[in-house]
Amino acid sequence: MRTFMKRTTVLAATTALALSALVAIGARGAGASSDYAPKLAFPMKITTPAGTITLHRAPRRIVSLSPTATEMLYAIGAGKQVIAVDKDSNFPRTGLPTTRFDAFMPNVEQLIALRPSLVVVSYNPNNLESQLASAGIPVMEQDAAMTLRDTLMQITWLGDATGHYPKSLAVAMADKAEITKDVAKVPAHHRSLKVYFELDPALYSVTSQTYVGQLLKQLGVTNVADAVASPLDYGYPQLSSEYLIKSNPGMIFLADTICCHQSYKTVKKRPGFALLAAVKYHRVIGLNDDVASRWGPRVSLLMDQLTAAVLHVYKG
């Protein structure tokens, strides 16, 4: 999912369905159980779990202080409205504005001087929202998604906010359709594969309660992190080498290939890891860190990669 090209066919196939669904979805209330936000019209009030914002017209000057939101904005066709992004935004590869902010410590004066008509954040550093509100700048906060439904809602909320709802709905529906298709590929009867998903070389992992863990669970695997999870680790336990060697996962996913340069070779060199089934059978799968941690429009690519790896074992 380093590119949206893979989903072009799915997008085309679902656009007609998306447009036909606009009326039905638009008629639902904000509290409806749909996977997508209701279609709104300007002037609008958008209420998300993080709060409510009011927009009188489609914003022409958007600042994104979230890499995930940046990817969403460009995927739904709002890229031309984006005038600045945070320092970690790096996708799409071309077309991003050169004006950058530190999302953790943004220069508020510089931000206000840009005269944005919408700022999108993933959290609220130093009470940023109140500071911008006092300058008359609306802020949409989109916290890290906890489920696929959260991602689909966030995409379509941004579609409402930017005046690109039809495209946002098409993108969201394409993601959901692709993931549903992946899950349907899993054989009805199979021997569950033990999997270890690595966040960093310190052996932090994810349980089935996390976003990525839920994706893996749909593929019928056994997540080795589940057995040692504690409420105190919030779904992200730190495992030990001894535990991993004892649990002997048959597949390892590495979400630290960019940040920490991990690979099959580095894993194999770890004390005792050469004995793991995942290493012996060359089932150490390197993932792109960004795709694995930004749960936006490229989540379907992550699921594609997880599914392909798991099916190779199930059907092999």
Side-chain angles (χ1 to χ4, degrees):
M1 196 161 68
R2 284 318 290 180
T3 174
F4 293 107
M5 293 301 294
K6 185 179 184 301
R7 295 202 313 282
T8 300
T9 302
V10 180
L11 275 171
T14 58
T15 297
L17 177 60
L19 293 175
S20 67
L22 288 177
V23 175
I25 292 176
R28 298 171 183 162
S33 60
S34 169
D35 286 329
Y36 316 104
K39 185 179 187 302
L40 304 176
F42 293 101
M44 67 176 65
K45 277 191 176 182
I46 301 177
T47 299
T48 74
T52 299
I53 67 169
T54 299
L55 294 169
H56 298 286
R57 61 188 63 84
R60 295 183 178 180
R61 299 176 62 80
I62 301 172
V63 174
S64 173
L65 298 182
S66 159
T68 302
T70 299
E71 295 194 15
M72 290 180 180
L73 288 165
Y74 278 82
I76 67 175
K80 291 182 179 180
Q81 295 154 256
V82 178
I83 60 170
V85 296
D86 66 288
K87 292 180 179 179
D88 292 321
S89 287
N90 57 8
F91 193 89
R93 292 301 185 194
T94 60
L96 293 176
T98 57
T99 302
R100 300 274 177 156
F101 287 90
D102 183 338
F104 297 96
M105 297 182 62
N107 185 316
V108 179
E109 292 183 359
Q110 182 184 359
L111 193 53
I112 293 174
L114 285 178
R115 298 179 290 106
S117 41
L118 176 67
V119 175
V120 186
V121 301
S122 58
Y123 71 111
N124 188 17
N126 300 322
N127 204 26
L128 176 65
E129 293 181 30
S130 294
Q131 296 184 67
L132 295 179
S134 64
I137 300 172
V139 179
M140 174 179 278
E141 181 177 344
Q142 292 198 329
D143 300 327
M146 299 295 291
T147 65
L148 175 61
R149 181 177 183 271
D150 291 344
T151 294
L152 303 180
M153 291 290 287
Q154 289 178 358
I155 290 172
T156 45
W157 272 322
L158 278 178
D160 269 327
T162 62
H164 295 278
Y165 186 81
K167 180 66 179 294
S168 74
L169 182 58
V171 169
M173 292 181 73
D175 272 326
K176 184 178 180 181
E178 184 71 10
I179 290 173
T180 299
K181 186 171 68 175
D182 282 336
V183 174
K185 295 176 183 176
V186 178
H189 303 286
H190 58 80
R191 182 179 178 182
S192 183
L193 174 69
K194 289 196 290 185
V195 167
Y196 162 56
F197 191 97
E198 179 170 293
L199 296 178
D200 66 28
L203 307 185
Y204 277 96
S205 189
V206 300
T207 70
S208 295
Q209 303 304 311
T210 64
Y211 193 109
V212 173
Q214 292 173 58
L215 296 180
L216 287 169
K217 187 175 182 179
Q218 292 184 76
L219 298 177
V221 302
T222 296
N223 188 334
V224 299
D226 288 344
V228 293
S230 162
L232 298 179
D233 55 44
Y234 301 99
Y236 297 93
Q238 183 179 26
L239 311 184
S240 67
S241 296
E242 293 76 15
Y243 173 74
L244 281 173
I245 293 170
K246 181 179 179 181
S247 61
N248 191 28
M251 179 165 288
I252 296 174
F253 288 104
L254 300 176
D256 50 4
T257 61
I258 298 175
C259 73
C260 313
H261 309 292
Q262 295 304 292
S263 65
Y264 171 82
K265 290 183 179 180
T266 62
V267 170
K268 186 178 181 179
K269 290 180 181 179
R270 298 175 186 175
F273 275 50
L275 300 176
L276 297 182
V279 175
K280 287 193 293 184
Y281 297 107
H282 291 262
R283 297 174 185 161
V284 179
I285 312 300
L287 302 172
N288 180 284
D289 299 15
D290 294 340
V291 173
S293 61
R294 296 177 190 171
W295 305 316
R298 292 194 291 168
V299 66
S300 58
L301 175 58
L302 173 62
M303 190 60 160
D304 286 345
Q305 295 171 335
L306 298 177
T307 303
V310 170
L311 287 182
H312 183 72
V313 177
Y314 284 167
K315 295 181 178 181

